[in-house]
């Protein structure tokens, strides 16, 4: 587990979905959703099997938000030109954190790695 940075501000605990198994599970079937989940190498996501809406940001290779969506249960966020990763969080999180198109997000795992890290 690491931390999520938005425009240089530390805002939340972050789970990294960087393997096929972690990406496949995502936020599905969790009693309590993680504060934020970063899907590495995914340009789109779906809400199949989800019971609540999520905030979704599509990110370019530098961690710049290229699009922001609300993913409703059983909905779909299609791929977007330039997007290479996806950030998900419980609905309402992005408003609190100030995540919008053009924001820069980064992962901090204590080593300074990750886009913007």
């Amino acid at each position: 587990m690491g931390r999520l940075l938005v425009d240089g501000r530390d805002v939340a605990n972050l789970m990294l979905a960087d393997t096929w198994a972690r990406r496949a599970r995502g936020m599905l079937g969790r009693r309590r959703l993680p504060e934020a989940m970063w899907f590495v190498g995914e340009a789109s996501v779906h809400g199949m099997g989800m019971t609540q809406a999520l905030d979704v940001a599509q990110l370019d290779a530098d961690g710049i938000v290229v699009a922001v969506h609300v993913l409703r249960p059983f909905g779909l966020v299609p791929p977007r030109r330039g997007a290479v990763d996806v950030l998900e969080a419980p609905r309402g999180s992005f408003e609190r954190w100030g995540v919008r198109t053009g924001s820069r997000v980064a992962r901090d795992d204590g080593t300074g790695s990750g886009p913007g890290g």
Side-chain angles (χ1 to χ4, degrees), residues 34 42 57 88 108:
E42 294 292 333
E88 290 184 353
D108 184 356

Side-chain angles (χ1 to χ4, degrees), residues 28 45-52 54 71-77 88:
L28 186 62
V45 290
H46 65 81
M48 298 303 289
M50 294 298 297
T51 59
Q52 55 191 297
L54 300 173
L71 175 61
R72 307 232 183 267
F74 295 92
L76 173 71
V77 172
E88 290 184 353

Side-chain angles (χ1 to χ4, degrees), residues 6-85:
V6 175
D7 294 325
R9 293 176 291 108
D10 184 324
V11 298
N13 286 320
L14 178 67
M15 290 184 69
L16 193 59
D18 58 349
T19 66
W20 181 89
R22 289 180 184 153
R23 287 189 300 269
R25 176 162 186 215
M27 292 200 182
L28 186 62
R30 297 177 187 272
R31 287 181 181 223
R32 184 172 176 193
L33 294 178
E35 289 183 74
M37 184 173 280
W38 189 305
F39 291 79
V40 176
E42 294 292 333
S44 67
V45 290
H46 65 81
M48 298 303 289
M50 294 298 297
T51 59
Q52 55 191 297
L54 300 173
D55 288 341
V56 173
Q58 292 171 293
L59 314 173
D60 73 9
D62 295 320
I64 303 299
V65 176
V66 297
V68 175
H69 311 271
V70 173
L71 175 61
R72 307 232 183 267
F74 295 92
L76 173 71
V77 172
R80 177 104 175 196
R81 179 182 293 274
V84 298
D85 291 344

